[in-house]
């Protein structure tokens, strides 16, 4: 690189993108330092994702090389298939008379843009997979919080597909299988496999940059719904001295502070992480044991297992603390709402009390299609419940979940500010 000229061109390469930056030569040290920091951060995020894929490949090799361990794994429960839920809401009678100016008056019709970030669950890994290698596919088009493939009637039950009933012009949902870097498919889903709480700020920065660059979005005027769901990998790595409750709060605080400064007209769903301590009960074979030890050693080790449930509850408490922070709760153009319906979720069991394996993908770790469908409807239904009445658990055995409709009394999405109401709604009592 020639440092004698007045202009310096720096080239930054990564596994999936490149950028060319032209700067004055006098700024060389500053820019090179920033690029080095960025490269280190990208390398860290890449290592997390690579660790995820290496675990899959290692287990797949073991299974293919040793038929005696592959056969028991192949006999595990098949994926459960359910009919699509009926949608019975009247989508015309409860529209806002005019575009609201307050986030506390938002109705489903008013949401123009959806977005999401998180980890491999929000990336769609394992969703619809029939083999171990297919778990590596990021099936973003069917993810509960952000997928927009097909329609409800065609069996793709997601939050955006419910919301498209109210606003057919909805923007931001993912389609097909893709990585977070495939802008035209992932759209505003910037989730990344292996991600933890300390990746959320970078995902937020990527989302803001992508949304500002999208000519379909009126960035200042459009109302946006952003769903955050992360915590599994944090719990799985917590026994290694990482991802404390204070860390969780710190990184989400940074992320929400950044978003509140940079993303106007936004309602944020903070979805509480479920309890992962039953994980080892969901293993069906040596192959699953190997995968679970690779993905989540803290849940497989009996000495570290007891600490997971208290930490998971502490993560939820940090979400509540953040949602009540006046910096976020005293705004009319920005709100943070905790959706706690999976905090106390128990994996489904059969009539004999055995865990139903069909809710997990072939790696006995990631939720499969029917689980995502349940996640989607549970999230939607919880959004229509006042903050002080939201459920902390749902019946995971009931896979035919009814899609609730906004009430005529309270046709808006509930926030901390607008939740002081009689419940159930008077007309439904």
């Amino acid at each position: 690189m020639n440092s004698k000229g007045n202009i310096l061109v720096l080239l930054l390469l990564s596994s999936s993108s490149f950028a060319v930056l032209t700067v004055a030569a006098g700024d060389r040290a500053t820019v090179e330092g920033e690029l080095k920091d960025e490269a280190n951060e990208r390398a860290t995020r890449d290592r997390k994702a690579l660790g995820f894929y290496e675990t899959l490949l290692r287990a797949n090799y073991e299974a293919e090389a040793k038929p005696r361990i592959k056969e028991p794994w192949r006999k595990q429960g098949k994926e459960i298939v359910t009919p699509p839920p009926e949608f019975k809401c009247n989508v015309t009678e409860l529209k806002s008379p005019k575009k609201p100016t307050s986030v506390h008056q938002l109705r489903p019709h008013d949401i123009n843009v959806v977005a999401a970030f998180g980890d491999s669950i929000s990336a769609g890994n394992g969703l619809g997979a029939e083999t171990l290698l297919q778990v590596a596919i990021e099936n973003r088009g069917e993810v509960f919080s952000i997928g927009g493939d097909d329609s409800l009637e065609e069996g793709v039950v997601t939050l955006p597909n419910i919301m498209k009933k109210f606003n057919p012009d909805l923007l931001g949902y993912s389609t097909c299988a893709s990585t977070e870097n495939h802008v035209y498919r992932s759209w505003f889903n910037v989730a990344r496999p292996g991600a933890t709480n300390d990746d959320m700020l970078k995902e937020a920065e990527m989302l803001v940059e992508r949304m500002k660059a999208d000519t379909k979005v009126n960035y200042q005027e459009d109302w946006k719904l952003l769903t955050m769901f992360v915590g599994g990998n944090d719990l799985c790595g917590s026994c290694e001295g990482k991802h404390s409750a204070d860390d969780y709060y710190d990184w989400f605080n940074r992320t929400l502070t950044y978003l509140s400064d940079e993303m106007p007209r936004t309602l944020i769903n903070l979805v509480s992480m479920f309890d992962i301590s039953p994980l080892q009960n969901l293993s069906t074979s040596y192959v699953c044991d190997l995968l679970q030890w690779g993905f989540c050693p803290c849940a497989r080790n009996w000495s570290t297992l007891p600490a997971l449930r208290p930490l998971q509850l502490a993560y939820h408490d940090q979400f509540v603390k953040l949602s009540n922070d006046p910096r976020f709760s005293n705004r009319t153009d920005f709100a943070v709402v905790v959706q706690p319906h999976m905090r106390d979720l128990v994996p489904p069991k059969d009539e004999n009390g055995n865990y139903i394996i069909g809710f997990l993908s072939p790696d006995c770790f990631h939720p499969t299609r029917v689980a995502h469908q349940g996640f989607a409807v549970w999230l939607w239904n919880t959004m229509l419940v006042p903050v002080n009445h939201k459920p902390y658990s749902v019946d995971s055995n009931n896979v035919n979940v009814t899609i609730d409709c906004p009430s005529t009394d309270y046709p808006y999405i509930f926030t901390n500010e607008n939740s002081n109401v009689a419940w159930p709604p008077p007309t439904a009592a």
Side-chain angles (χ1 to χ4, degrees):
M1 186 176 294
N2 182 5
S3 61
K4 293 181 180 180
N6 292 324
I7 298 296
L8 176 68
V9 179
L10 298 176
L11 179 65
L12 175 64
L13 293 171
S14 74
S15 59
S16 56
S17 63
F18 71 91
V20 178
L21 181 63
T22 304
V23 298
D27 295 330
R28 173 174 180 165
T30 300
V31 174
E32 285 186 328
E34 290 175 354
L35 290 176
K36 183 178 180 180
D37 291 342
E38 173 68 15
N40 288 335
E41 289 174 356
R42 289 190 183 194
T44 299
R45 298 198 301 274
D46 287 344
R47 278 196 298 273
K48 291 178 180 179
L50 286 173
F52 167 77
Y53 293 118
E54 285 173 356
T55 299
L56 276 177
L57 290 172
R58 198 161 50 242
N60 186 73
Y61 172 80
E62 287 279 335
E64 295 296 333
K66 301 174 182 178
R68 64 183 175 80
I69 67 172
K70 181 178 182 179
E71 193 57 30
W73 169 77
R74 291 180 62 186
K75 291 181 179 179
Q76 70 183 33
K78 297 294 184 181
E79 181 178 347
I80 298 170
V81 178
T82 62
E86 290 187 73
F87 182 86
K88 299 180 179 180
C89 305
N90 187 326
V91 299
T92 58
E93 68 175 6
L94 298 178
K95 287 185 178 181
S96 299
K98 60 180 181 179
K99 192 168 189 174
T101 57
S102 171
V103 69
H104 310 296
Q105 299 171 345
L106 280 185
R107 304 183 186 191
H109 306 78
D110 301 318
I111 302 295
N112 306 108
V113 182
V114 289
F117 51 74
D119 53 27
S120 55
I121 294 179
S122 297
N125 290 101
L127 206 173
E130 297 180 357
T131 67
L132 281 184
L133 291 183
Q134 287 178 2
V135 174
I137 297 173
E138 297 172 26
N139 187 7
R140 294 173 186 260
E142 296 187 61
V143 170
F144 76 98
S145 59
I146 190 65
D149 275 352
D150 300 326
S151 65
L152 288 178
E153 291 75 15
E154 294 170 282
V156 182
V157 184
T158 66
L159 180 64
N161 278 354
I162 295 172
M163 298 189 71
K164 281 192 282 184
K165 290 290 189 179
F166 296 89
N167 180 6
D169 298 321
L170 190 71
L171 304 173
Y173 52 81
S174 299
T175 58
C176 306
S178 68
T179 69
E180 79 276 13
N181 292 311
H182 196 301
V183 178
Y184 298 105
R185 289 185 176 180
S186 65
W187 211 346
F188 297 146
N189 178 356
V190 294
R192 188 177 179 88
T196 51
N197 63 83
D198 52 340
D199 295 305
M200 294 303 98
L201 181 55
K202 278 297 176 186
E203 291 192 11
E205 291 170 349
M206 177 186 290
L207 176 63
V208 168
E209 180 182 3
R210 184 173 297 184
M211 199 175 287
K212 284 182 175 179
D214 195 313
T215 57
K216 299 184 184 71
V217 176
N218 184 333
Y219 193 73
Q220 296 299 323
E221 297 297 323
D222 283 348
W223 283 106
K224 310 161 193 72
L225 177 69
L226 167 58
T227 300
M228 303 185 193
F229 182 55
V230 70
N233 295 321
D234 309 71
L235 293 167
C236 287
S238 60
C239 60
E240 299 171 356
K242 300 180 290 185
H243 312 310
S244 68
D246 288 341
D247 291 336
Y248 200 76
Y249 173 86
D250 181 51
W251 281 105
F252 271 99
N253 180 44
R254 295 189 201 186
T255 302
L256 292 173
T257 300
Y258 171 78
L259 290 170
S260 68
D261 291 338
E262 294 291 333
M263 190 177 284
R265 293 202 165 190
T266 299
L267 174 62
I268 292 184
N269 283 328
L270 293 182
V271 180
S272 298
M273 185 63 200
F274 49 74
D275 180 18
I276 67 166
S277 56
L279 181 64
Q280 57 188 281
N281 298 310
L282 300 170
S283 176
T284 61
S285 64
Y286 171 78
V287 176
C288 284
D289 289 343
L290 187 66
L291 285 159
Q292 290 185 355
W293 272 104
F295 290 141
C296 197
C298 302
R300 292 293 313 212
N301 188 327
W302 285 106
S303 66
T304 58
L305 181 63
L308 295 184
R309 173 62 169 164
L311 181 58
Q312 176 244 337
L313 292 174
Y315 285 174
H316 165 79
D317 291 342
Q318 304 293 27
F319 272 180
V320 173
K321 181 180 177 181
L322 286 164
S323 71
N324 291 327
D325 191 311
R327 293 175 299 149
F328 312 131
S329 61
N330 291 346
R331 298 267 297 271
T332 58
D333 67 335
F334 188 89
V336 178
V337 182
V338 179
Q339 309 297 354
H341 54 283
M342 293 200 289
R343 190 196 72 174
D344 299 335
L345 180 70
V346 176
K349 297 181 180 180
D350 61 23
E351 61 275 10
N352 298 317
N354 299 314
Y355 287 103
I356 300 174
I357 308 302
F359 283 81
L360 291 181
S361 72
D363 65 354
C364 300
F365 186 78
H366 287 90
T368 192
R369 180 176 284 113
V370 70
H372 274 266
Q373 292 174 347
F375 291 175
V377 181
W378 296 334
L379 174 57
W380 165 258
N381 289 350
T382 305
M383 290 168 58
L384 302 180
V385 177
V387 168
N388 50 333
H389 291 279
K390 290 184 185 295
Y392 289 94
S393 185
V394 288
D395 181 6
S396 59
N397 277 76
N398 179 18
V399 293
N400 295 310
V401 188
T402 300
I403 297 177
D404 292 341
C405 302
S407 72
T408 54
D409 298 287
Y410 318 121
Y412 44 78
I413 300 169
F414 281 100
T415 66
N416 293 19
E417 180 71 22
N418 63 23
S419 288
N420 188 22
V421 297
W423 195 258
T427 57

